[in-house]
Amino acid sequence: MERVDELAGWVGDGGVVVLSGAGLSTESGIPDYRGPSGVARRATPMTYQVFTRDPVARRRYWARSHLGWRTIGDARPNAGHRAVARLQELGRLDGIITQNVDGLHQAGGAHGVVELHGNLAYVVCLGCGRRTGRAELEERLDAANPGFAAAVSAVNPDGDVEIDDAELDGFTVVNCAVCGGMLKPDVVYFGETVPPERVSRSFELVAGARTLLVLGSSLTVMSGRRFVLRAAKDGIRVAIVNQGVTRGEPYAGLIVDAPLGRVLPEIVQRVEGAAVRF
């Protein structure tokens, strides 16, 4: 609780930029990669190169993603997401950067979120560039695959599921309704680079921050860790709230190892209480 009090003081100072990871969404039913609720993948994550070059792998992905969307699409923001949105409303946050692709920050009331890795709620055509909502694609996949229902053994954090390959027989992939081009979820796959404008915007936010607050990220991959490295280099305070170890610990001035859905509402209460006193 002493660390929570100290963190509330940091947040109360304002000028906070949030960097969130999968651990923030576990209480919404979406497993994370390496934390307490993480699942061990039997298969390697899809890469851009395999997705675009291998029709069988692409069909496997869309079948698994079609089933997985039922979990991701039905997920609702939890107390942690709502607390972040409240801190933004209170004027303590200058920006939110997320590595998540579930859109739950916005569903919880936040705005201006930099989605580093995109959002599973959208699909993009690699031919004409048309971007559409996932609901439209799901309707078309349902129509092309009536009665498709495979046994799901695990849900993965990036929105697909684990199913037996034998159950993929007969699954039909649909293409762009306008040009017939290849459809891809509007997320950054392994082997792709994060769009430069998202990276530059994130670095701008970090550069202007008083505190970089990391929420629910092990910081294992450089996509997120680079912002912690930049903050530490520039003398910006780094605080981490996460369950389990992170690779950002050597750079953090404050670490709280506890469930985010419990800690973040506590922070909000303390910040609101301080505002009332003054």
Side-chain angles (χ1 to χ4, degrees):
M1 295 309 295
E2 290 179 1
R3 292 185 180 182
V4 172
D5 285 336
E6 185 176 1
L7 179 57
W10 286 22
V11 173
D13 289 342
V16 177
V17 170
V18 163
L19 171 64
S20 66
L24 183 60
S25 295
T26 56
E27 292 174 57
S28 294
I30 302 175
D32 60 6
Y33 294 91
R34 302 169 183 89
S37 69
V39 294
R41 260 190 180 275
R42 293 182 299 167
T44 57
M46 178 62 71
T47 67
Y48 180 80
Q49 292 77 13
V50 171
F51 183 86
T52 55
R53 297 173 186 173
D54 187 341
V56 174
R58 188 162 57 252
R59 180 168 67 102
R60 181 185 301 115
Y61 172 81
W62 276 123
R64 292 175 170 178
S65 183
H66 181 49
L67 295 175
W69 178 248
R70 298 170 187 173
T71 296
I72 304 298
D74 288 343
R76 295 293 177 263
N78 60 52
H81 296 109
R82 292 191 293 271
V84 170
R86 178 57 178 155
L87 291 173
Q88 187 179 46
E89 183 181 5
L90 291 168
R92 298 309 194 274
L93 303 189
D94 287 349
I96 301 170
I97 306 164
T98 187
Q99 301 171 86
N100 299 338
V101 294
D102 52 38
L104 291 179
H105 271 302
Q106 296 92 319
H111 58 84
V113 180
V114 179
E115 295 179 305
L116 279 176
H117 300 152
N119 192 320
L120 279 171
Y122 297 94
V123 178
V124 64
C125 173
L126 299 182
C128 66
R130 181 173 180 256
R131 188 174 186 252
T132 56
R134 183 67 179 254
E136 176 183 317
L137 174 66
E138 291 303 308
E139 289 181 1
R140 295 180 62 210
L141 286 174
D142 281 336
N145 299 278
F148 176 72
V152 174
S153 59
V155 178
N156 292 317
D158 44 9
D160 64 354
V161 299
E162 301 289 351
I163 60 177
D164 193 308
D165 280 357
E167 299 194 72
L168 298 174
D169 291 343
F171 185 84
T172 300
V173 175
V174 300
N175 294 319
C176 177
V178 173
C179 75
M182 184 186 303
L183 295 177
K184 172 185 171 294
D186 196 12
V187 298
V188 177
Y189 278 153
F190 285 84
E192 284 188 280
T193 57
V194 177
E197 64 274 11
R198 297 179 198 169
V199 177
S200 61
R201 176 58 182 152
S202 298
F203 275 124
E204 287 174 5
L205 288 172
V206 172
R210 181 175 291 124
T211 299
L212 177 61
L213 176 57
V214 180
L215 302 176
S217 177
S218 64
L219 299 170
T220 299
V221 297
M222 187 55 72
S223 178
R225 191 165 74 252
R226 57 184 160 182
F227 302 116
V228 172
L229 298 177
R230 174 63 63 84
K233 179 182 177 181
D234 292 347
I236 296 164
R237 297 185 301 199
V238 176
I240 299 175
V241 183
N242 186 65
Q243 286 192 271
V245 298
T246 83
R247 293 190 65 180
E249 291 181 7
Y251 312 100
L254 181 59
I255 299 173
V256 180
D257 188 339
L260 283 86
R262 188 174 70 204
V263 171
L264 294 177
E266 288 282 347
I267 298 297
V268 169
Q269 288 185 11
R270 284 162 170 74
V271 171
E272 288 179 329
V276 169
R277 287 195 298 273
F278 287 101

